Amino acid sequence: MDHYSCFIDNEWVEASSGNRVEVEDPANGKVWASVPDCTNEDADRALESSHLAQKTWALLPPVERAGYLYKIAEGLRAEREHFATLLVREQGKTLEEAGFEVDDTVRYITYAAEAARRLKGDVLPSDAANEQLFIFKVPYGVTIGLCAYNYPLALIGRKIGPALVTGNTMVLKPHEATPVTASEFCRLVEKAGLPKGVINMVTGKGIGLATRLVSSPVTRLVTLTGSIAAGQGVAKAASQNLAALSLELGGKAPFIVLRDSNIDEAVEAAVIARYANCGQVCICAETVLVEEAIADEFTDKLLKRAAVVRPGDPMQNAGMGPLTTKAAEIRVAGLVEESVKQGAEIALGGGRPGGSGFEAGNWMNPTVLVNANRNTVTVREEIFGPVLPVVRVADYDEALDIANERPDGLSAYLWTKNPTIYMDAVQRLETGTIFLNKGIVGYIQGYHNGHKLSGLGGEDGEHGIEGYLQKRTVYMRYSA
């Protein structure tokens, strides 16, 4: 078994309790690594380290801070294969997908570093003579990065890049199921020579450790990628000290296909957007809403294309790996079972794959449900797994109504050749991201955010970087 440590004040440390958390391989259920199960005392040490480092770090020129980020990115690029293998072992995505995640992480960090010369404020005219009005943008201070298990490395890059280039320090807390890549990432931090305390990292199970980090008076901003329930818990814990929040939470992306769409292209996009990373992507296609006039043709082609996606050993198979946790497998299987009781039918997949290699681990077949409706549980709740319910709708208006009646709004897909409809969707579809005649994608220069219960703030691009800065207004009188 491989043993990994936490990273506090540029030192590799164990939990003060001496306890550890075991890490399982999602493909076979075997324990292959362990990390410290940190205590509140360990969290306080990390916070104090980040607090002491932040003032000096913020005074460095942005391009100097960026230099450290470039070194981390170079380290990741040089060890692409190593980090990809770690991602497969602890998260379960295919080796190809894991390599792409390493590449994305490099891009996130590099983009943030490149922004060092583009950080800017405002100069405004004063109402009085011999005066000037400035609005500076300054760091918050100590930030907390809470990462989900679906992209354990990319989410680190997505958070630490903007946080550090803007002069903040950060305490990272990875998900308990996927902490190994975070520990190895900090090895690159050490190698890059960052001043002590700029990045700290603690690991542990349960919500107690995260609550301690979030509720501390030292913490001035919290960035979380996780479920809606997790976001609500973080908001409550941060409320006493009114820490700023950036919450990228769950969603239930509708995949709307209208009669004038290119059906073949829409099918291909739907399959990729559902079964990528075993369906564990916050902007995955969660429900197909297909217009009745083309529903038969679309569904037939969808079933044939989805049948090509094969689960298998993620180190060897380019199809689909397992779900990351056993709890996820049980939950998703339960949603399918309940949907069938409600009248939906399994048209493809369902259950675990059989045969050699699937005796253990968190496996599930790529699944398509038909005869679902707006009240089916897999249509109401976020699945976050390889299950795609298909709902027939009369027209665009019904699809829009189903999409907008939800309390969340992270992303949506719309396939149509009618410019009037997709311009209407831009105005009325209540989500943070809309993919118009486009499959799943996320460009670093864009902006990733949710509406309604899908979150506060956002990440990526210049708007994401600005989220790590607060404003300071200065009224300057320069002559008596």
Side-chain angles (χ1 to χ4, degrees), residues 27 278 309-313 317 320-323 329 349-367 386:
C278 199
V309 180
R310 301 288 186 181
D313 178 1
N317 171 50
M320 191 180 80
L323 289 156
E329 180 200 344
R352 291 172 62 95
S356 176
F358 301 108
E359 299 87 352
N362 314 320
W363 293 97
M364 188 166 189
N365 281 312
T367 299

Side-chain angles (χ1 to χ4, degrees), residues 183-473:
S183 182
E184 280 292 270
F185 179 87
C186 288
R187 178 176 57 80
L188 298 184
V189 170
E190 181 183 44
K191 186 178 180 180
L194 270 76
K196 66 179 183 178
V198 173
I199 293 180
N200 290 292
M201 189 276 295
V202 292
T203 56
K205 59 186 177 182
I207 63 173
L209 184 63
T211 300
R212 184 71 166 203
L213 294 170
V214 170
S215 62
S216 169
V218 172
T219 298
R220 298 314 314 144
L221 180 145
V222 180
T223 170
L224 162 75
T225 302
S227 67
I228 291 173
Q232 291 168 329
V234 163
K236 183 177 181 180
S239 63
Q240 186 64 35
N241 296 304
L242 296 179
L245 299 174
S246 177
L247 307 177
E248 193 270 283
L249 309 179
K252 182 75 179 175
F255 193 97
I256 302 169
V257 187
L258 302 183
R259 68 177 67 203
D260 64 338
S261 65
N262 185 313
I263 294 178
D264 291 336
E265 289 185 359
V267 165
E268 183 68 17
V271 170
I272 294 173
R274 173 69 284 184
Y275 302 112
N277 200 22
C278 199
Q280 299 169 117
V281 187
C282 58
I283 56 173
C284 262
E286 281 266 332
T287 300
V288 168
L289 303 176
V290 58
E291 198 166 6
E292 182 70 51
I294 59 167
D296 287 342
E297 180 183 359
F298 177 88
T299 303
D300 181 62
K301 291 182 175 181
L302 176 69
L303 292 172
K304 291 177 180 177
R305 176 61 181 86
V308 177
V309 180
R310 301 288 186 181
D313 178 1
M315 286 297 296
Q316 307 292 332
N317 171 50
M320 191 180 80
L323 289 156
T324 302
T325 70
K326 180 58 66 176
E329 180 200 344
I330 294 171
R331 177 183 174 277
V332 174
L335 290 174
V336 172
E337 182 179 356
E338 180 63 23
S339 296
V340 171
K341 290 179 181 178
Q342 294 173 335
E345 298 178 12
I346 299 174
L348 179 73
R352 291 172 62 95
S356 176
F358 301 108
E359 299 87 352
N362 314 320
W363 293 97
M364 188 166 189
N365 281 312
T367 299
V368 176
L369 299 175
V370 297
N371 294 335
N373 59 60
R374 67 200 303 162
N375 296 315
T376 303
V377 66
T378 43
V379 177
R380 293 199 320 268
E381 296 187 19
E382 183 179 19
I383 302 167
F384 213 63
V387 178
L388 186 58
V390 178
V391 178
R392 296 172 180 240
V393 296
D395 51 27
Y396 164 69
D397 287 331
E398 184 182 2
L400 186 69
D401 182 59
I402 293 174
N404 283 347
E405 72 179 1
R406 297 193 54 78
D408 51 20
L410 187 61
S411 60
Y413 300 79
L414 174 60
W415 287 78
T416 179
K417 297 175 183 176
N418 188 330
T420 300
I421 288 179
Y422 56 69
M423 289 307 298
D424 179 81
V426 169
Q427 297 294 320
R428 294 203 291 150
L429 196 48
E430 298 169 0
T431 64
T433 299
I434 303 174
F435 300 96
L436 295 173
N437 300 316
K438 177 73 175 175
I440 188 170
V441 73
Y443 298 140
I444 56 173
Q445 70 271 28
Y447 189 54
H448 182 57
N449 68 304
H451 292 183
K452 301 189 283 189
L453 288 183
S454 288
L456 302 169
E459 300 189 278
D460 301 345
E462 61 179 302
H463 300 294
I465 290 174
E466 179 133 335
Y468 288 86
L469 293 165
Q470 56 187 337
K471 297 176 181 65
R472 177 174 295 154
T473 302

